[in-house]
């Protein structure tokens, strides 16, 4: 299978996931936001912890930094709970919904195929592979795309944070 055909097939599969599980998209968006927020909060937690160790001058500074550390820990816990709910409840539930709908769709297509096509070994092989793999491959493709989006957005957020904090630190040291 050539690259453009493979990419086109993935978009067709995504179309069916969107068609059969439209509410799952909302949960996936919440999962993306929670995952990026969790990753970003972990980095902020570490940078604030380093700041507590390096820059503490008064007890008020320590209390301010510890309160921000507590906020980041709470954000991480909430995001972990959201992601756990998504991975352990929402995603398996919608995978079953997708499997039922894609099988119903395929069997509706089977009705219109003439019986002579089943005698062709190449057709029958493609048909059985399609039935066997369609129940899980489409949903897994969707989940991998969601994971890819999470990693890209996390990298962008962390890169932006590094650039901004580096510029702020270089400005404050130049003065």
């Amino acid at each position: 299978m050539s690259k453009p055909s493979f990419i086109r097939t993935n978009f067709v599969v995504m179309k069916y996931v969107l068609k059969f599980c439209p509410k799952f998209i909302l949960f996936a968006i919440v999962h993306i936001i929670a995952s990026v927020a969790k990753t970003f909060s972990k980095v902020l937690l570490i940078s604030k912890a380093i700041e507590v160790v390096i820059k503490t001058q008064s007890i008020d500074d320590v209390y301010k930094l510890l309160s921000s550390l507590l906020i980041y820990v709470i954000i991480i816990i909430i995001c972990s709970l959201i992601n756990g709910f998504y991975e352990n409840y929402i995603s398996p539930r919608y995978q079953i919904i997708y499997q039922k709908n894609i099988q119903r769709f395929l069997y509706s297509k089977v009705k219109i195929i003439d019986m002579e096509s089943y005698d062709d070994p190449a057709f029958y092989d493609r048909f059985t592979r399609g039935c066997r793999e369609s129940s899980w491959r489409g949903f897994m493709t969707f989940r991998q795309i969601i994971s890819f989006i999470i990693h890209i957005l996390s990298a962008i957020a962390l890169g932006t944070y590094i650039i901004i904090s580096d510029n702020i630190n270089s400005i404050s040291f130049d003065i």
Side-chain angles (χ1 to χ4, degrees), residues 145-164:
I145 290 172
I146 294 299
S147 178
F148 178 73
I149 291 170
I150 288 170
H151 289 100
I152 292 295
L153 291 178
S154 294
I156 291 171
L158 294 176
T160 305
Y161 172 72
I162 290 169
I163 290 171
I164 290 172

Side-chain angles (χ1 to χ4, degrees), residues 25-144:
I25 304 306
L26 298 174
F27 290 114
I29 291 170
V30 170
H31 173 62
I32 290 170
I33 292 168
S35 296
V36 172
K38 180 180 171 184
T39 303
F40 194 67
S41 294
K42 286 179 180 179
V43 170
L44 290 176
L45 176 71
I46 293 169
S47 68
K48 288 292 182 180
I50 292 171
E51 190 176 326
V52 166
V53 173
I54 293 175
K55 295 183 180 180
T56 54
Q57 295 168 357
S58 71
I59 195 70
D60 291 334
D61 292 339
V62 172
Y63 287 137
K64 286 179 188 176
L65 292 173
L66 287 178
S67 65
S68 65
L69 288 176
L70 181 64
I71 290 170
Y72 294 133
V73 168
I74 291 171
I75 291 171
I76 291 169
I77 290 171
I78 290 171
C79 291
S80 294
L81 290 173
I82 291 170
N83 290 340
F85 182 70
Y86 172 84
E87 290 293 331
N88 297 319
Y89 179 74
I90 298 295
S91 186
R93 181 173 180 224
Y94 277 99
Q95 185 173 1
I96 291 170
I97 292 169
Y98 172 77
Q99 287 173 341
K100 287 180 181 179
N101 285 327
I102 197 72
Q103 287 174 353
R104 191 175 302 135
F105 174 75
L106 287 174
Y107 292 140
S108 71
K109 293 295 183 182
V110 167
K111 292 179 186 177
I112 60 174
I113 298 174
D114 59 340
M115 294 301 283
E116 295 168 356
S117 298
Y118 291 106
D119 292 334
D120 181 19
F123 169 80
Y124 189 73
D125 181 50
R126 284 193 320 265
F127 174 72
T128 55
R129 260 190 302 141
C131 286
R132 203 174 37 243
E133 294 186 11
S134 66
S135 64
W136 62 272
R137 189 174 297 268
F139 201 79
M140 288 302 126
T141 301
F142 180 77
R143 289 191 56 178
Q144 288 174 348

